[in-house]
Amino acid sequence: MVSTKTFDFIIIGAGSAGCVLANRLSADPTNKVLLLEAGGRDLNPLFRLPMLMGKLFHSGIYNWHYHTEPERHLNGRSLYWPRGKVLGGTSTINGMIYVRGNRHDYDRWAQIGAAGWSYDEVLPAFLRSENHVQRNGAYHNSEGELTVCRARGWNSLLDVFNEAGGQAGYPHNDDFNGGEQEGFGRYDFTIAKGKRCSAAYAFLRPARKRSNLTIISRAHARRILIENGRAIGVEFTRKGNISQVYADREVILSAGVVNSPQILMLSGIGAADELAQHNISVVQDLPGVGKNLQDHVDCVMSYECREPVTLYSDLRADKLTWSVIQGMLFGKGIATTFPYEAGAFVKSRQDLVAPDIQLHFMPALEKTANLHFPNPFKKERVEANHGFSLRVGPVNPESRGEIRLRSADPMDRPCITANYLQTEFDIRTMINAIRMTRDIIKQAAFDKYRGKELAPGPAVESDAEMIRWLRANAMTTFHPVGTCKMGHDQMAVVDSRLKVHGVKGLRIADASIMPIISSGNTNAPAIMIGERAAEFILKEPSI
């Protein structure tokens, strides 16, 4: 056992919120800050090219490569759960879509007991981080660290999709992060001059030069050290050695939706009966640790395209190779864009106060949206390779899952059960979303391009057929949250200032604290949570 230095603050996890915290807390030169990250540094230059996100997502090198347990409501399928294991966390490998969520998300948080988390109260935290290169006004800022830009793609089908939305009766929306979320439009992205702007790039890169910030990568947290009801440090493994570091003021757990509850339970904080199953001594009986897991379930609908206008032509090996070079040197070309650039937030019923369905549109088939080598000797129908896809799903799912320990070994992967499509509400919303999407694709704007529906396919029409298809094909949108929920009820893990109930000197700051999932992609809210945690900490007097 190696005992090392003492710091004011120890942050476990260099994901989106952890990077924000490391920057904000170390901005005061009197604070000694340690940031521990289980993964390595974000040195691979391919991290920076947006179009290569898919390769990184499926690589086991830069992520935890988790899988769920067999999902009971998805025919026993185990779903892949990529989570970033690198500086920047999942922001280093994700799709870079910047969506804050709906005003009603945060107002509901406040209504159920999360004081200080209404939309008007969290908006300044969103603005503090943002450096939007095109937008300004009441909902945007151009002076933060996180570069945000409008969609950069030029594929004509993106505009066709938005035109079809208007023809189907939905409003156009130029800014999903503005006054209203509802409508069809293009997403904003965390892309800076054609390169990914991860949390590590935005927040750690400028803070690295500070002598009061120490970053230790490849440090796998084993447990939080707790003495007399107070978190005093962290035990971690690095290069086969076990070390301990100590915090005079606070330990902040920012290890993510899977690892934060796992580390709490390994430290004796969790449901007493579950801890006893692994012979872990109970420090604080908190039955909500690992519970309340929420994620956006979705499905992929796809169609043939009768015109050769999709991304398939741009993703030929020779073209994409040049585009990678062009992107790295000049920040231009197809490699600097993300394929799911257009989208929509729509209501399945007009009496709803906010959209309940999100669409992501890609001008390519998922099976062909990869590097490929053309065969000049093989003639194929245009539709064999050209098509378009839509990811379709509810933004407010009812289904709840959990994270449980597999064993008391810190290196053992926890058990993940998401319970996708557990409730009738989620199934009904998915069916409504499929029917609404079919209606959108039937609009006149798509007449020139629309070919055969490939998935679900014309044979899937009745509710029963759709349910069977969904159980066989539904998947995750990779937005898990909620496993250390904020609140004051029996299942709450942290209070409204993100302090762990019953343990002094310990906070949690990542997407696990969300009591209810936000409407849309969850990276922007995770960064906001980091900002809020920094606010709370810096306003409190040092002990």
Side-chain angles (χ1 to χ4, degrees), residues 318-328 332-336:
D318 54 344
K319 287 188 176 182
L320 189 58
T321 299
W322 165 242
S323 184
V324 168
I325 296 171
Q326 188 181 24
M328 292 301 297
K332 297 180 179 179
I334 194 69
T336 69

Side-chain angles (χ1 to χ4, degrees), residues 52-129:
L52 301 185
M53 164 264 175
K55 300 297 182 184
L56 298 174
F57 231 48
H58 290 89
S59 166
I61 301 173
Y62 305 111
N63 81 67
W64 291 92
H65 220 258
Y66 288 132
H67 290 78
T68 70
E69 299 298 294
E71 288 290 334
R72 176 183 174 188
H73 307 287
L74 297 184
N75 296 347
R77 290 183 291 129
S78 175
L79 270 59
Y80 176 46
W81 261 41
R83 297 284 92 199
K85 188 180 181 182
V86 62
L87 291 182
T90 305
S91 77
T92 301
I93 64 172
N94 70 357
M96 297 152 290
I97 297 177
Y98 183 84
V99 172
R100 295 176 185 162
N102 195 286
R103 168 182 288 274
H104 299 282
D105 298 331
Y106 304 103
D107 288 345
R108 281 200 300 165
W109 291 12
Q111 289 166 4
I112 62 174
W117 290 84
S118 69
Y119 178 77
D120 288 338
E121 290 168 304
V122 302
L123 180 59
F126 279 115
L127 296 177
R128 187 177 306 117
S129 293

Side-chain angles (χ1 to χ4, degrees), residues 265-278:
M265 289 185 279
L266 290 170
S267 308
I269 303 170
D273 57 340
E274 294 181 24
L275 298 179
Q277 295 172 17
H278 302 288

Side-chain angles (χ1 to χ4, degrees), residues 9 15 40 77 123 143 194 211 227 313 342 350 387 423 452 470 499:
F9 301 100
R77 290 183 291 129
L123 180 59
E143 298 179 357
S211 60
E227 190 174 277
S313 300
Q350 284 307 305
T423 71
K452 183 173 65 176
L470 285 168
K499 295 181 179 181

Side-chain angles (χ1 to χ4, degrees), residues 31-54:
N31 290 333
K32 292 175 61 179
V33 181
L34 172 63
L35 177 62
L36 299 173
E37 167 55 41
R41 295 185 61 184
D42 55 334
L43 298 178
N44 189 330
L46 298 184
F47 279 138
R48 303 297 312 284
L49 288 180
M51 186 61 76
L52 301 185
M53 164 264 175

Side-chain angles (χ1 to χ4, degrees), residues 290-348:
K291 306 303 188 287
N292 192 51
L293 172 61
Q294 301 161 59
D295 190 13
H296 288 138
V297 65
D298 74 357
C299 63
V300 176
M301 299 180 66
S302 58
Y303 293 79
E304 292 181 341
C305 184
R306 296 189 290 120
E307 296 289 334
V309 295
T310 72
L311 294 178
Y312 181 79
S313 300
D314 296 304
L315 297 178
R316 275 176 26 190
D318 54 344
K319 287 188 176 182
L320 189 58
T321 299
W322 165 242
S323 184
V324 168
I325 296 171
Q326 188 181 24
M328 292 301 297
L329 294 178
F330 309 111
K332 297 180 179 179
I334 194 69
T336 69
T337 67
F338 181 67
Y340 278 106
E341 286 204 328
F345 291 91
V346 294
K347 298 177 182 177
S348 62

